[in-house]
């Protein structure tokens, strides 16, 4: 047992925790936890797992992993390229679109209403100036009622016509949008069908591919067992860096990026798809379980 393994074991017992409880807390298999306590790092699936597992173990028993790495640096494999952060927190933002409000039709007919009111007022004034002749009262009242009725009927008919025109315009707009959307789907489907993934070069455990003849770049990484996966783009921004259990997957749309980089901890249990097309490992997954994949992407010109 190494000094580091003994230190972790004593901290675990001091908290009254069993290896089964540590396994449940960290999701690290018990046999790997035993290997850490005994200093037997050869049983790990790869050297880059050692530091990650020790870090999770230390955090579970309340120890500072950075202090342990510094104090026992001679006992821990130092593969800097394998030191990756445990978790990446993705913050999704949502946008709120302003909803336009429909203006009322009232103000469109306000001038006509004012004209009708003016006519009524003028008729009433004439009647007053004439002394309010009783013989003309019935006729004037009837004329006013007829004019008001005609004015109201005209307003209703115009309102109906405007409503019908708005409905026709709205239906036509929806049909146009649907046709454009269907056409866009057809273009994308054809684009993905013609896409090609070519091998550019291989060097050690790194393979570079080139994605061509497509205008989108959607990446899916799925675990068929247990594997460590790290996904980042050409700028170095990380989208995921953690363990993938059996059946778990990561999907990312990198259409706006020029490249994607995938660190695969255990290639036999890791499936990579680009726009739904399975990426074939250029180097044997069984012979080289740890692989670094880079996919270069240049959007197809329309």
């Amino acid at each position: 047992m190494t000094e580091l393994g003994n230190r972790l074991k004593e901290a675990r017992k001091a908290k009254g925790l069993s290896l089964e409880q540590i396994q449940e807390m960290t999701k690290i298999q018990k046999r790997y936890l035993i290997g850490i306590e005994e200093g037997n790092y050869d049983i790990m699936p790869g050297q880059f797992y050692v530091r990650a597992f020790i870090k999770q173990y230390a955090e579970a028993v309340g120890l500072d992993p950075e202090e342990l790495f510094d104090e026992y640096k001679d006992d821990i494999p130092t593969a800097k390229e394998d030191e990756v952060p445990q978790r990446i927190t993705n913050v999704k933002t949502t946008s709120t679109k302003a909803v336009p409000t429909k203006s009322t039709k009232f103000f469109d007919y306000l001038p006509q209403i004012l004209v009708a009111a003016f006519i009524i007022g003028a008729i009433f004034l004439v009647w007053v100036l004439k002394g309010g002749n009783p013989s003309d009262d019935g006729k004037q009242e009837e004329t006013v009622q007829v004019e008001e009725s005609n004015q109201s009927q005209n307003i209703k008919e115009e309102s109906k016509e405007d409503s019908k025109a708005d409905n026709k315009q709205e239906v036509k707009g929806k049909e146009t949008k649907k046709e454009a959307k269907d056409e866009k789907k057809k273009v994308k489907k054809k684009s993905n069908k013609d896409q090609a993934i070519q091998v550019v070069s291989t060097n050690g455990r790194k393979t570079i591919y080139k994605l061509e003849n497509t205008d989108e770049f959607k990446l899916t990484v799925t675990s068929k067992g247990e594997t460590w996966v790290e996904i980042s783009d050409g700028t170095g921004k990380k989208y995921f860096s953690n363990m993938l259990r059996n059946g778990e997957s990561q999907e990312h749309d990198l259409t706006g990026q020029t490249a994607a980089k995938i660190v695969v901890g255990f290639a036999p249990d890791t499936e990579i798809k680009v726009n739904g097309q399975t990426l074939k490992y250029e180097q044997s997954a069984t012979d080289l379980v740890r692989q670094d994949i880079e996919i270069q992407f240049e959007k197809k010109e329309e």
Side-chain angles (χ1 to χ4, degrees), residues 7-8 11 15 55 57-66 68:
R7 175 90 172 271
L8 292 170
K15 284 187 170 289
K55 181 179 180 181
Y57 192 133
E59 290 174 346
V61 298
L63 297 177
D64 187 339
E66 296 303 326
L68 291 179

Side-chain angles (χ1 to χ4, degrees), residues 3-15:
E3 292 183 9
L4 172 59
N6 189 50
R7 175 90 172 271
L8 292 170
K9 184 175 182 180
E10 289 178 354
R12 172 175 62 80
K13 289 184 175 182
K15 284 187 170 289

Side-chain angles (χ1 to χ4, degrees), residues 101-267:
T101 57
K102 293 185 177 179
S103 61
T104 178
K105 295 288 185 180
F106 174 76
F107 293 100
D108 295 337
Y109 301 109
L110 183 59
Q112 299 178 20
I113 294 173
L114 292 175
V115 171
F118 178 79
I119 293 173
I120 294 172
I123 293 173
F124 179 77
L125 181 61
V126 171
W127 180 79
V128 171
L129 293 175
K130 285 184 177 182
N133 190 346
S135 62
D136 296 334
D137 184 64
K139 293 182 180 179
Q140 291 176 355
E141 183 177 354
E142 182 179 355
T143 301
V144 170
Q145 290 179 349
V146 170
E147 290 181 352
E148 287 181 345
S149 177
N150 291 337
Q151 187 71 20
S152 177
Q153 184 65 25
N154 290 336
I155 292 174
K156 288 181 179 179
E157 289 178 356
E158 290 179 3
S159 179
K160 287 181 180 179
E161 291 298 326
D162 290 343
S163 179
K164 288 180 180 179
D166 290 342
N167 290 337
K168 288 181 180 179
Q169 188 67 25
E170 185 176 355
V171 170
K172 186 176 181 180
K174 288 182 179 179
E175 291 177 350
T176 302
K177 288 182 180 179
K178 185 176 182 300
E179 291 175 357
K181 188 175 181 181
D182 291 342
E183 186 65 25
K184 188 175 181 181
K185 285 182 178 179
K186 290 180 182 179
V187 172
K188 282 191 174 182
K189 186 175 181 181
K190 182 179 179 181
S191 176
N192 291 339
K193 183 178 179 181
D194 296 336
Q195 79 172 15
I197 305 175
Q198 305 291 341
V199 177
V200 177
S201 65
T202 58
N203 184 12
R205 63 189 178 195
K206 183 174 182 180
T207 304
I208 299 177
Y209 298 83
K210 186 174 183 180
L211 176 62
E212 300 176 314
N213 298 331
T214 181
D215 58 358
E216 65 179 3
F217 187 11
K218 293 183 178 179
L219 181 69
T220 304
V221 182
T222 305
S223 174
K224 296 182 179 179
E226 184 178 88
T227 181
W228 180 280
V229 173
E230 179 178 285
I231 301 172
S232 59
D233 59 27
T235 66
K237 176 184 176 182
K238 289 185 175 63
Y239 296 82
F240 180 79
S241 181
N242 212 328
M243 295 290 293
L244 279 182
R245 311 297 174 186
N246 187 18
E248 294 181 345
S249 64
Q250 282 288 313
E251 296 182 8
H252 298 280
D253 189 345
L254 301 174
T255 301
Q257 304 299 325
T258 58
K261 297 180 180 179
I262 309 107
V263 177
V264 179
F266 194 64

